[in-house]
Amino acid sequence: MYQKQIEQLILLQAVDDEIIVLEAEIQQAPQELSDLEGRVASLKERQTQIDERLEVLRAQQKKLEFEIEEDAGKIKKSKNKLMMVGNTKEYHAMMREMDSLERVNRMREEEKIAIMEEIGRQEEGLKDLDKEAEGIREEYAAKKATLDERLDKARKRVDSLDKKRKKAGKVVPPPILGRYEFIRARISHPVIVPVALGVCSGCNIMIPPQIYNDLQKGKQIIACPNCQRLIYWQEHAPSGAPSVQDEEE
């Protein structure tokens, strides 16, 4: 009976380990879609920022083009009037005015070129964001298409494991099963561990000699006095104990 209880406790632990993994997957799967949605939203925000930046740059470019064209017209008129100037003073005044307009227009042309280059960079960045967003949308669509199938498969597996868990629990006396559940709720796995050469493999601490002697007798389920995990002598480990898959067959 002792050997059967150890066997079922080990099986119970294997079932619980798999249930933990599956439940984590069930919780994580929708989160994967949520994370992708968050990435798409972040990209859209960055695209909006670039669009706003482009709007400002294009407005600046349009303003400069207007001012360049307007002053170019003034320069042209001044050149036409220059031939009709009656005295040197007026001639030099008009020349200074044209030089000033031409200098300002050269500065505007340089600023316009810089703005056009920046517009090009921003538009290229926008293309990269569009490409990245498209990739994420494709990944989202692919994951969403398989999500329901993945979740359904995982839930069915959990249901199947729950049945195996109940079956294994029937073999273990209620006090021992209650102790197992108590430990499982309070410490990380594993709950039941082997002892080899007097050392608990759960906490790696030597157990007292008397407890080790009792453990070797194989009469009752014993807990490690240090970590409180259920322990069994390694020599009592069930050879060929049924796995979770074996139990299903």
Side-chain angles (χ1 to χ4, degrees):
M1 180 58 72
Y2 169 83
Q3 194 73 21
K4 186 65 175 178
Q5 291 174 7
I6 291 295
E7 178 182 301
Q8 292 305 307
L9 282 170
I10 293 173
L11 174 62
L12 186 61
Q13 180 162 267
V15 168
D16 284 338
D17 285 344
E18 187 173 350
I19 287 175
I20 288 172
V21 172
L22 289 169
E23 288 180 341
E25 181 181 350
I26 290 171
Q27 292 177 358
Q28 182 62 28
Q31 185 61 43
E32 291 175 7
L33 293 182
S34 179
D35 290 344
L36 290 175
E37 289 170 352
R39 288 172 60 190
V40 170
S42 176
L43 288 176
K44 285 183 178 179
E45 184 177 349
R46 288 165 60 190
Q47 287 171 325
T48 298
Q49 292 172 351
I50 291 178
D51 284 334
E52 291 173 351
R53 174 65 175 157
L54 283 171
E55 186 177 350
V56 171
L57 289 170
R58 286 168 180 150
Q60 291 176 334
Q61 179 185 1
K62 187 175 181 180
K63 180 174 179 291
L64 285 170
E65 289 173 344
F66 174 79
E67 291 173 345
I68 290 170
E69 185 177 354
E70 185 179 42
D71 280 3
K74 291 179 182 179
I75 292 169
K76 185 176 180 180
K77 288 180 181 179
S78 294
K79 285 182 178 179
N80 291 335
K81 289 181 181 180
L82 196 62
M83 305 302 297
M84 302 170 61
V85 173
N87 57 68
T88 303
K89 183 178 180 180
E90 187 176 354
Y91 177 85
H92 286 301
M94 290 185 67
M95 286 296 295
R96 285 194 296 273
E97 181 182 2
M98 285 192 300
D99 286 343
S100 176
L101 289 172
E102 287 175 345
R103 185 170 60 255
V104 170
N105 261 6
R106 284 195 296 272
M107 293 172 62
R108 287 172 177 152
E109 287 288 358
E110 291 174 358
E111 185 179 355
K112 176 185 170 183
I113 291 172
I115 287 175
M116 290 174 66
E117 290 175 348
E118 180 61 20
I119 287 174
R121 284 191 292 270
Q122 294 292 333
E123 288 177 338
E124 191 64 31
L126 199 58
K127 288 179 182 178
D128 291 340
L129 288 178
D130 285 338
K131 186 177 180 180
E132 185 177 353
E134 180 61 28
I136 294 175
R137 281 191 285 268
E138 289 176 0
E139 183 181 355
Y140 180 93
K143 284 193 174 183
K144 187 173 177 58
T146 61
L147 178 62
D148 289 342
E149 181 181 350
R150 286 171 56 197
L151 290 179
D152 184 60
K153 184 177 180 181
R155 290 189 182 108
K156 285 180 178 178
R157 178 62 176 161
V158 169
D159 290 341
S160 175
L161 289 169
D162 280 336
K163 294 176 182 177
K164 307 304 174 290
R165 193 178 193 283
K166 291 175 182 177
K167 183 179 178 181
K170 290 178 180 179
V171 179
V172 183
I176 300 299
L177 184 60
R179 182 64 182 168
Y180 172 89
E181 298 290 8
F182 179 85
I183 298 170
R184 178 172 173 265
R186 286 161 178 76
I187 64 173
S188 59
H189 277 237
V191 174
I192 179 167
V193 296
V195 171
L197 301 176
V199 177
C200 170
S201 62
C203 60
N204 296 316
I205 292 178
M206 186 79 70
I207 64 173
Q210 184 56 51
I211 293 179
Y212 188 41
N213 289 335
D214 292 341
L215 192 66
Q216 290 176 310
K217 293 175 182 177
K219 300 297 183 181
Q220 59 180 338
I221 306 294
I222 299 175
C224 172
N226 181 65
C227 68
Q228 306 305 313
R229 288 180 172 89
L230 300 179
I231 54 178
Y232 60 92
W233 188 30
Q234 189 176 41
E235 296 298 321
H236 291 157
S239 59
S243 66
V244 177
Q245 288 75 18
D246 293 333
E247 286 289 308
E248 289 184 1
E249 294 174 357

